[in-house]
Amino acid sequence: MINRNGKAYDSGDVKIAMFGSISYEVTEITYNTEQEHQKNHSLGSNKASSWSAGKIDDTCTMTLRLASINAIEKAAKSSLLNIKPFDINITFVNEYNDIINDTITVKFMNQGREVGGDMDLKKQFNMFVIDSDYNNF
């Protein structure tokens, strides 16, 4: 069904909270959950006779502006790598659609700076994902 006058979710509808605050300047976040799948073959046929599902793995990258990175480093009083696992709550909300709330439990896997010719300095971080909870309330 197409709602011609409907409004899609957009980046302005996204609120990201971590460390008890939504003031961090996250410019991009990508998270994904995948599960291994395989076809099982038996003798007497070249076609699969069944299938199996295996391990589930989560991934996440998050891009932050340098001012927010600095604030997190100061609050941690050490390396980002030493910060204990924490929750990131990603909420999609606008006046036209249902609220979506995802929570991922992560830990920083890298620390550094990225400096280029742009005025807006930011860095993408690889996150170690411990758990993902989609559409939770």
Side-chain angles (χ1 to χ4, degrees), residues 80-93:
L80 297 178
L81 302 176
N82 293 333
I83 297 173
K84 293 179 181 178
F86 59 95
D87 287 341
I88 300 176
N89 292 304
I90 304 103
T91 305
F92 304 81
V93 61

Side-chain angles (χ1 to χ4, degrees), residues 118-134:
D118 296 332
M119 292 184 279
D120 185 17
L121 298 181
K122 51 193 169 188
K123 169 92 174 111
Q124 184 179 72
F125 294 92
N126 296 318
M127 309 303 288
F128 177 72
V129 182
I130 296 165
D131 190 30
S132 294
D133 191 5
Y134 293 91

